[in-house]
Amino acid sequence: MTLTSISKKVWLLPALLLVLCVVASCGKHSDSPTEEILTVSPATLSLSPNASGTISVTSNTAWTVTAPAGFTATPASGSNNGTITVTAGDSPKAGFLTVKSKTKSASVALSGPESASVTVTPNKGSVSYESGKSTTFQVSCAGAWSITLASPKPSWLASVSPMSGTGDATVTVTTGSYTERTSAQTYMTVVSGKYSAYYTITKEAAPNVAPTKPTNLKPTGSGVETVTTFSWTASTDGNGDKITYTVMISKNNSSWTTVGTTESTSLKNTTAMDKNTTYYYKVVADDGYDGGKTESDVVTFTTGSSQSSWTDGQVKQYNVNSDGSITEVTLGSSPRPVKLIFTGDGYTEDLFTYGGQFDQEVDAGVKALFEYEPYKTYYSYFTVYKVAAFSKEAGMSQGDSYDNPKKKVNTVFHCTWEGGNSTGIDCDADAVFEYACKVPGIQGATELESETNLTYSPVCIIINAYAYAGTNIWLSDDGIGGMKMISIAQTPARQPSYSSTDGFAFTLRHEYGGHGFGLLDDEYVYYTTQYFPHDEEESFRFWQGEGAFCNTYLPEWNSSASTWYSDDAHCNLNLTPSVSGENWASFASKTEYAGANIHLVSGSSYYGRGVYRSENGSCMIDNIPHFNTISRWKIYSRIKITAGETPTIEDFMSRDTDKTNSYGSAAPMTKASSERRCRGPLLKDAHHRRPYRLHK
């Protein structure tokens, strides 16, 4: 090989490599992707409320759309070239509509027309009841506006047109077809951005045929009782509507007082009219629709000086006589120092004639209370008030509580009997409180003052129902001092046949005379061998601090021995007790009482051990007509303190006629838990949010 040929070969190799590089470069250029294209037009778009516009998309790839608040865009996505329809809402505001592809985005500035102050003239109008009737109002606005209707849109409003616009316009409101004989209103709001104005539209009532006027009005003439029954002949109504009647009276034929309203053709006044007074009288018939009132002719009558029926809420005042009967005295006259309040539940209006069922049963209850000591001896200290309370229905509800009865009877105090083996009764204490405050001297400047006035004036509710039931409710205000209470004894108005001591009179003495006024505890026993529970001591001591439970002796708890300070020796009736209870030791040391079982008798307040009563037999055990000595002393002390006098054992003993108890040896010491006993008292105090019974 010559030198020349070698040189030529060396030259050819770089040339080959260069050719290869050129070929490779050309191949790479031909395989690269097409560049993304995404443009939109126009760049800005302004739309009036509820108007639409279009946006053009130029693209060679897929894309999605995002619309700002107040606008909608259709379609929400696409590919390649396309068109987007944009629709404005009721109140469009400025924002950007954005179209995005994989790597690019484009935007259109959207806006609504400028808002401006808006007014409507007039701002209210009316439309006829006839279908297709219309009225108009003017919208004045330099910008865009829209109308929003009240929701729900009333059926009688057929159309409002136009619902939106720009600049001034006339809006027409049109009714649909309807026959309702009552007028109605609705409103609409004209909105322009932050500005608004209101237009009120009233639908006129369809024509109504008024009832005929009532006729044959009674009473007329003279000598009419101050509580009487107004009556008339019924009206007729061309539309067949239900008619209500309003009775109105006047002393001068110009200033009228409403007696009451009824659907019947008679009505009894609940507030007595003035005696020996001439009254004008008319009845207004009303079918409940516009233009549906018709007045009767006016008649006159003159009252006399008599009244034969109670009115609702009426109060009468009585003095107690030595035989337990009562004599009416002028309401508001100087009362005796101790006030007792009697009312009833389940007594309908027809039972409130003077001398009728309500009077008879209250009189029987008062007489029962004052038949036995110490009430019998101290009768002259007592004023009795009767308060009439009309119930819609007779009887008594049944269930767990008055506000959730299983069987409801519509009575004024909602007295509700638990039923079964229970004798417990619940009631609406607020309603009782309202009626009790009608008694002179009870209503105070504040509710607390009124409750304080009721401290020594317990309320007895006699229930018009055939059932053996009774409960007493005490209320105490925390931190006030003394028992601020509405004491409510509820007793049956009929005597059941199964036992004499389960009758009305016996139950009333136990509940009202014992618990209600005397603040005494129950003395019967359910749990013969059980000690009084330590965890109930706090409530027991609380009520003793309020002046209650003084007929029951509860020894102190011996914390070191974890037992009550008592033993079997305390149950031995031959031992004279040494106790710290109020005057127990004093009475036990008196020969006049020592022979009458004034000892510690084991068992009281439901439990057989660790708690004691002072005698074997008492009204607080099984309703016998005898309060034991400690109970009589407690009641006597309450009477004296209320009268502003000082109770002393010597004074009590000098007038106590029940020193020897003939019931003592015969009365049972315990009661089986299955027997029906009057439960109580029901308590409300600082430690409990709801009423509760001390013993379960």
Side-chain angles (χ1 to χ4, degrees), residues 205-224:
N208 178 50
V209 178
T212 61
K213 64 183 179 181
T215 59
N216 195 27
L217 273 64
K218 295 179 181 179
T220 58
S222 59
V224 175

Side-chain angles (χ1 to χ4, degrees), residues 299-312:
V299 301
T300 62
F301 63 85
T302 302
T303 58
S305 57
S306 63
Q307 179 178 328
S308 60
S309 297
W310 290 81
T311 58
D312 188 33

